[in-house]
Structure formats: C-alpha cells, structure tokens
Amino acid sequence: MTRGEGELRHSVRVSAPGHVAEGDVGSLEAWLRGEPELKDLVQVKRGARPAEAGALMGPQLDIVIEWFGAATTTEIVRLVTASIREWVRSRRALGDDSPPGFRAEPDDRRNDQRNDRRGDERNDERD
C-alpha cells in the first residue's frame, strides 16, 4: 500500500483577501516548505482560489497544505499560523511595511467534497 492509500487526506488553505502578488505567494510557499516543524509532516502545493465577490478577474492561487495521518487540522493550522507570523516579521525586517494578510484555515471545500464522496460510497453499498 502506498502512502495515503486508504488514509484520509486532510488539508488547510492559506490565502489572503483580494489580489496577492505572485512574488508574495511564492515567498510564503517557499518559507512554508522550509519550515522545520512542517517539512516532514505536510505537502505544500498550490490550489485554485475559490471565487470571491468583487475580486479581480484572472487566476489567483492559494497555498494548500495537505497531509495524511494523525495530525489534527487544529494542530496544522496552529503550526502554519505561527510560521506565517514569522514570515511577516521577516518581511517587515526586510522593509516590507505591508505584507499580505495571509491566514490559514481548514479547507472546507475539499472536506465537503470528501464527505460527499463518502456519502455516495455508503449509498452505493446500500443499493
């Protein structure tokens, strides 16, 4: 069995309101990939941002943190949030007075899709 096969995949979405420059997303993504507490625990990747009312047209990507196993969503949100705070401090120390207001939240959209699939599987078993 390969890693993740038969295991529940969890995810947390890291986003900021409004339009965010690619350089800012890339910088935080690299920061999170190098975070020692997250490095061996999660996968850091990009994911399409859900549509927002009033947002500029064009593709906007969020950072999606995925993992398998026993770590709780609350634990991962806490670790990612602490890492974001450190990234903001670092950016300010480098002269960026207004880095984007990134936040980490459970990826409800992905969790809803997983729950829908599990419900479909249960219904198939009853038929």
Side-chain angles (χ1 to χ4, degrees):
M1 183 179 285
T2 61
R3 181 181 175 154
E5 211 174 297
E7 293 182 77
L8 182 59
R9 180 184 304 186
H10 307 280
S11 62
V12 166
R13 183 169 294 269
V14 177
S15 61
H19 181 77
V20 180
E22 170 60 29
D24 291 327
V25 177
S27 172
L28 180 57
E29 180 182 21
W31 181 276
L32 292 170
R33 283 182 194 272
E35 182 65 46
E37 290 188 45
L38 295 171
K39 198 170 193 165
D40 295 327
L41 187 61
V42 302
Q43 293 179 331
V44 179
K45 51 177 75 174
R46 299 281 182 102
R49 176 180 287 188
E52 287 181 17
L56 295 174
M57 296 296 285
Q60 276 281 281
L61 297 175
D62 290 335
I63 300 168
V64 178
I65 312 293
E66 294 183 332
W67 71 99
F68 298 98
T72 67
T73 301
T74 302
E75 177 184 2
I76 299 299
V77 167
R78 182 185 57 76
L79 290 170
V80 172
T81 299
S83 188
I84 291 170
R85 279 195 292 266
E86 286 298 316
W87 177 81
V88 167
R89 278 193 278 276
S90 172
R91 292 290 295 258
R92 288 191 173 136
L94 294 171
D96 184 351
D97 292 332
S98 57
F102 285 105
R103 64 189 177 279
E105 298 175 329
D107 192 356
D108 293 332
R109 185 170 55 112
R110 286 190 56 119
N111 293 333
D112 289 346
Q113 289 171 352
R114 266 196 304 272
N115 290 337
D116 289 346
R117 281 194 301 271
R118 272 189 256 134
D120 290 344
E121 290 167 5
R122 283 192 293 268
N123 288 335
D124 290 343
E125 291 171 3
R126 289 184 208 146
D127 292 340

